[in-house]
Amino acid sequence: MAVFKVYMKITKKNIWLVCLYLAIFFVLTLLFQGIAGKNAEQEYTAESISIGVADGDGGPAAACLIETLDQTNQVTVLEDDGEMLQESLFYGKISYVIRIPDNFMEKCILGNDNVPVTTMPGTYTGSYVDQQISSFINFARVRAAAGFTEEEIAASMKNQEKPSVELLDIRGNAGEMPAFSFYYRYLAYLVLCVMCYVLGYILIAFDRGRISQRMRASAVPPRRQAGEGLLASGVLALVLWIFCTAAAFLLYGREIFESGCLGYLLLNSGAIVLVSVTIAYLIGTFVKNQEALSGIVNIVTLSMSFICGVFVDLDYLSSGVRKAAQFFPVYWYERVNNLVAEYGASAGLVKTEILQGIGIQLVFAAAFICITMAVSRQRA
């Protein structure tokens, strides 16, 4: 076990460097998952648009329209000065201008005239506010057709029930994405980076000086050398997995234990750690210096993170990108993580899909091991 001992010795010698990389990527992971969690919480929050309104009517219906828009937007009542409105729109003080005409009730509600509006070109905000105005006009017309006066229309519009969103507990998680799912989502990026850098530096150390020549002349066969190297890498991966799991328990312990899917989380995270160590070992067999290591690691980790659902949720990726991502193990890790997060305590309903995703990751790990052994034998 000479090679194994050397791996441990080099790791011990560079323990502070390992801790530094681990701390950097762990902080980045927590930062990313924190941002993703906040964005998810705002998913059902109405957008707020800065609107400038020039009220040329002053009647109850116009006041009701302004009040309705102000409930979900930032409404500022301005003078009906075309030059001033254009200037405010040009400098970004407001994003949308509404000019309520005189006789608003007769022209726009009882009649067929449109409310004059101006919006910044190339933005979606215009359609968003257009929909709100159209909804108000339609409701007002229904009440006017029923014989309501302008004052009665304004009063009824103010008292109408506000819409609400309720997350249904269809899959056993109350319709919400648990906080720990964002942690495990970015865990793939963390373990890939850490393992690639740690093992990369160890394997670079083996190529320095005459160490590689001595290893070739050693009585230990190349396969055994590679096997002991993989064993040492597995020990490092196990330590990393224990650390990441302990951190997850520390941050979300109660939530994880109550989720009913602890076993799936452990299996899936263990699988991606195993895949990461095999990828790291394969990369380490090719690189010769630290500059090359940094370049390759950045390309591999960032590309897989972007197209496999780490930095960008899989739901936002095009079908073509998702099909291409299926050829990478990180995609299957993220797919399993999404299934566990969506189904929660009911994850057993998709047990087959979860185990399939974990199994595919293990197949990738086995393939990388075979490639590494073949490369090591060829280089010998």
Side-chain angles (χ1 to χ4, degrees):
M1 301 293 286
V3 177
F4 179 86
K5 292 179 180 179
V6 173
Y7 268 76
M8 296 296 102
K9 186 176 181 179
I10 296 176
T11 303
K12 184 178 180 180
K13 185 178 180 180
N14 297 278
I15 188 64
W16 293 110
L17 182 63
V18 174
C19 293
L20 177 62
Y21 276 113
L22 188 61
I24 291 173
F25 291 115
F26 193 79
V27 170
L28 289 176
T29 300
L30 290 180
L31 178 63
F32 289 151
Q33 69 94 13
I35 295 174
K38 291 180 180 179
N39 292 338
E41 292 174 359
Q42 298 173 355
E43 188 172 354
Y44 296 100
T45 303
E47 292 288 342
S48 180
I49 309 300
S50 57
I51 301 175
V53 179
D55 187 2
D57 179 74
C64 184
L65 173 60
I66 296 174
E67 183 178 345
T68 301
L69 294 175
D70 192 44
Q71 292 176 358
T72 55
N73 302 282
Q74 303 170 7
V75 177
T76 303
V77 178
L78 305 172
E79 296 182 3
D80 192 2
D81 185 343
E83 184 176 349
M84 183 191 68
L85 293 174
Q86 290 181 0
E87 182 178 343
S88 299
L89 192 63
F90 178 80
Y91 288 106
K93 297 179 180 179
I94 54 178
S95 303
Y96 194 92
V97 174
I98 303 175
R99 305 180 71 174
I100 302 178
D102 188 21
N103 296 323
F104 172 65
M105 180 72 180
E106 289 75 15
K107 292 180 179 179
C108 299
I109 297 179
L110 299 179
N112 295 320
D113 291 357
N114 295 324
V115 180
V117 298
T118 306
T119 184
M120 295 183 65
T123 63
Y124 69 91
T125 55
S127 300
Y128 177 71
V129 183
D130 286 345
Q131 185 179 14
Q132 291 181 312
I133 296 174
S134 177
S135 178
F136 176 88
I137 297 295
N138 290 335
F139 278 112
R141 285 175 178 171
V142 170
R143 287 165 172 77
F148 284 44
T149 64
E150 183 176 357
E151 291 75 10
E152 290 173 339
I153 290 175
S156 64
M157 294 289 288
K158 292 179 181 180
N159 296 328
Q160 69 179 350
E161 185 178 354
K162 303 294 186 300
S164 60
V165 176
E166 180 180 356
L167 299 177
L168 300 179
D169 191 7
I170 298 176
R171 296 173 175 172
N173 58 356
E176 299 180 351
M177 295 291 285
F180 63 80
S181 67
F182 297 101
Y183 171 85
Y184 278 100
R185 171 178 166 181
Y186 289 96
L187 184 65
Y189 173 72
L190 169 66
V191 297
L192 270 172
C193 288
V194 172
M195 290 307 306
C196 285
Y197 276 112
V198 171
L199 283 183
Y201 283 126
I202 293 176
L203 293 173
I204 288 174
F206 271 89
D207 282 337
R208 290 177 181 172
R210 298 181 178 180
I211 297 179
S212 59
Q213 297 176 358
R214 292 179 180 178
M215 291 184 66
R216 292 190 185 98
S218 172
V220 180
R223 285 190 177 181
R224 182 174 177 180
Q225 293 179 15
E228 291 185 16
L230 288 173
L231 178 61
S233 303
V235 172
L236 296 178
L238 178 62
V239 174
L240 177 61
W241 178 77
I242 292 175
F243 175 83
C244 294
T245 303
F249 289 161
L250 181 63
L251 295 172
Y252 315 102
R254 182 176 181 181
E255 187 176 1
I256 291 177
F257 285 111
E258 293 179 353
S259 67
C261 52
L262 174 60
Y264 294 129
L265 292 174
L266 295 178
L267 287 175
N268 196 36
S269 60
I272 194 60
V273 170
L274 181 60
V275 170
S276 299
V277 72
T278 57
I279 293 176
Y281 199 88
L282 179 60
I283 292 175
T285 58
F286 289 100
V287 296
K288 299 296 183 181
N289 52 65
Q290 297 181 4
E291 292 75 15
L293 176 65
S294 298
I296 295 177
V297 170
N298 286 332
I299 292 174
V300 172
T301 58
L302 291 178
S303 60
M304 282 200 292
S305 296
F306 273 109
I307 70 173
C308 295
V310 179
F311 295 150
V312 181
D313 194 272
L314 290 174
D315 293 334
Y316 298 121
L317 298 175
S318 65
S319 59
V321 174
R322 287 198 298 270
K323 289 180 180 178
Q326 293 179 17
F327 293 95
F328 298 95
V330 177
Y331 168 84
W332 297 100
Y333 169 81
E334 294 297 339
R335 176 176 170 80
V336 172
N337 186 54
N338 289 342
L339 288 173
V340 172
E342 291 175 3
Y343 283 85
S346 303
L349 298 175
V350 288
K351 179 180 178 180
T352 302
E353 296 180 44
I354 292 176
L355 295 180
Q356 180 186 35
I358 295 174
I360 292 176
Q361 294 178 66
L362 297 179
V363 171
F364 273 105
F368 289 132
I369 290 175
C370 293
I371 295 173
T372 302
M373 299 292 284
V375 171
S376 299
R377 182 179 179 181
Q378 186 68 26
R379 294 178 63 182

